[in-house]
Amino acid sequence: MTVDVLRRPALADRRARVAVAVLFFTNGALFANLLPRYPQIKADLGIGNAAYGLAVAAFPAGAITAGLAAGVLVRRFGSARVAVGGTLLTGAGILAAGLANSVAVFAGALFLAGAMDAFTDVAQNAHGLRVQRRYGRSIINSFHAIWSVGAVTGGSMAAAAIALGVSRGPHLLFSAVVFAVAACVALRYCLPGPETEAEPAVETGTEDGAPLPTRAPAAGPRTGWVLAALVLIATAGTLVEDAGMSWATLYLSDSLHATAALAASGYVALVGAQFVGRIVGDRLVDRFGQRAVARSGALIAAVGMGLALAVPTVPGTVLGFAAAGFGVATLVPAAMHEADELPGLKPGSGLTLVSWLMRLGFLLSPPVVGLVADATSLRVGLLVVPLAGLLVLLCAGVLQPRRR
């Protein structure tokens, strides 16, 4: 039996937790304000599904291109400053994408926004982990849940703007300014000091006061294969997220003839259900283990979206995207956690590799789905969602089972 002595978080730590939550919220809300506008942009630019898929792939392309530089910036300027600076520039890129008058400008603006979003993503997670070490217990999943709240809020803002007839320029300018102000205010309450600062951590020992044995790092022949499987699990999660971001609104509006405001509900349903999955995810993992939760979620995503595609209706499709979002809610955090604890790797190396490589899902998914949609139909292209669920079912064995 062990006894964990938890230090009560100081006021500054609690304020920093709220500040990081605000950064996650703004990060989720900014891009979500643009997504429901994609059908209008596509129609105004007069492009097909393949060209559209290639254009929206510029966002993850920018993230992949810039992703490895994020660590250097964080060490140089601090995670909080990089997160806030990235937020400001992401908003500017999204505004430029919304006002683009050509495919090249649209893709270039998304490339910039994606690069800045990668900086923000790495920096806000780094700062969130600093705060977590101050708390001495896991709180990182709550930040990702707040991101989902931000995404739902942003998608709802866009749906309301569309319903009210607000044009893209004023809508996206308002979004960029509001969330820029929120991020700048949050910066005042983030943790001070350099990123190398040693944070207080939970004190753990046995009942008689002796320290618990620590796990000795030891590289094994399976490490590379496990890391590859974790990348596939995280990538499967991003494939499903991208289906909601890039194609849900378009599928509902073009293929199922939903109104513009109603079409936005597909992405909102996916992210909203993902939030619920993240809120309950920690308890489910503690009770059943990462492996069982991932497999169950993958099955829910595959069956839910599979049925929605087999019997295409607007309500059924919205529910299908919700099932997909709920099913993949814990996949990326689970893969990151497992990668960060792989033996034989330097601290943070596994986490960095998974975080960077999983963005390939966002890069490859839009053009692949677009090409399939042009060759057949978007309904067939969205089979990527149930296929991603099947991929997780095959790879989930590398995740931790229930602890006895």
Side-chain angles (χ1 to χ4, degrees):
M1 178 179 178
T2 64
V3 178
D4 292 343
V5 182
L6 297 179
R7 181 179 65 86
R8 178 177 172 79
L11 177 60
D13 300 335
R14 297 196 298 272
R15 287 177 173 174
R17 180 177 182 177
V18 174
V20 175
V22 170
L23 293 177
F24 271 83
F25 180 89
T26 59
N27 183 247
L30 269 175
F31 192 48
N33 266 277
L34 177 65
L35 295 176
R37 296 287 191 171
Y38 273 179
Q40 295 175 342
I41 296 173
K42 179 176 179 290
D44 289 347
L45 296 179
I47 55 178
N49 288 324
Y52 167 79
L54 289 171
V56 298
F59 187 91
I64 291 174
T65 301
L68 292 181
V72 177
L73 292 176
V74 166
R75 288 190 294 271
R76 176 67 177 84
F77 299 104
S79 56
R81 291 179 179 176
V82 173
V84 173
T87 297
L88 302 182
L89 293 174
T90 299
I94 288 172
L95 175 60
L99 298 176
N101 56 6
S102 70
V103 178
V105 174
F106 178 57
L110 287 181
F111 186 92
L112 169 65
M116 296 305 102
D117 181 74
F119 294 157
T120 302
D121 184 46
V122 171
Q124 69 187 9
N125 275 284
H127 207 78
L129 289 172
R130 282 190 65 190
V131 177
Q132 177 172 278
R133 289 191 289 272
R134 294 286 191 105
Y135 269 69
R137 57 185 171 87
S138 177
I139 59 173
I140 195 67
N141 284 328
S142 68
F143 294 138
H144 286 268
I146 293 297
W147 184 95
S148 297
V149 174
V152 171
T153 301
S156 300
M157 287 173 61
I162 293 170
L164 294 173
V166 180
S167 61
R168 292 195 298 270
H171 160 222
L172 295 175
L173 177 61
F174 174 80
S175 169
V177 171
V178 167
F179 295 121
V181 171
C184 290
V185 173
L187 179 61
R188 294 185 55 194
Y189 299 99
C190 289
L191 295 176
E195 300 307 306
T196 55
E197 178 187 69
E199 308 291 354
V202 61
E203 299 174 8
T204 306
T206 60
E207 281 189 301
D208 60 2
L212 289 172
T214 58
R215 183 183 63 180
R222 293 182 64 250
T223 298
W225 293 107
V226 171
L227 184 60
L230 294 174
V231 169
L232 290 176
I233 291 172
T235 301
T238 63
L239 287 173
V240 175
E241 290 184 27
D242 180 74
M245 289 193 301
S246 300
W247 301 103
T249 303
L250 197 65
Y251 177 64
L252 283 163
S253 62
D254 288 3
S255 300
L256 301 184
H257 310 293
T259 63
L262 182 58
S265 62
Y267 174 67
V268 172
L270 184 145
V271 179
Q274 187 180 57
F275 165 75
V276 175
R278 285 171 173 170
I279 287 294
V280 303
D282 287 330
R283 295 179 182 178
L284 293 175
V285 168
D286 288 341
R287 183 169 183 179
F288 301 108
Q290 292 277 20
R291 185 183 301 171
V293 172
R295 283 175 172 165
S296 300
L299 188 62
I300 291 172
V303 173
M305 197 62 194
L307 289 174
L309 294 173
V311 186
T313 64
V314 172
T317 299
V318 173
L319 290 175
F321 278 112
F326 183 84
V328 303
T330 64
L331 292 185
V332 172
M336 288 181 172
H337 176 266
E338 296 289 341
D340 203 36
E341 297 199 349
L342 280 176
L345 297 178
K346 294 180 180 179
S349 296
L351 173 61
T352 301
L353 286 171
V354 169
S355 300
W356 187 63
L357 289 174
M358 76 176 185
R359 292 182 180 272
L360 289 174
F362 285 117
L363 176 64
L364 298 177
S365 177
V368 169
V369 173
L371 288 170
V372 173
D374 277 349
T376 54
S377 68
L378 185 51
R379 181 182 171 193
V380 175
L382 285 174
L383 285 173
V384 67
V385 175
L387 290 176
L390 295 178
L391 179 63
V392 174
L393 286 173
L394 294 174
C395 298
V398 301
L399 299 174
Q400 290 296 319
R402 178 184 177 183
R403 296 180 181 179
R404 300 185 182 276

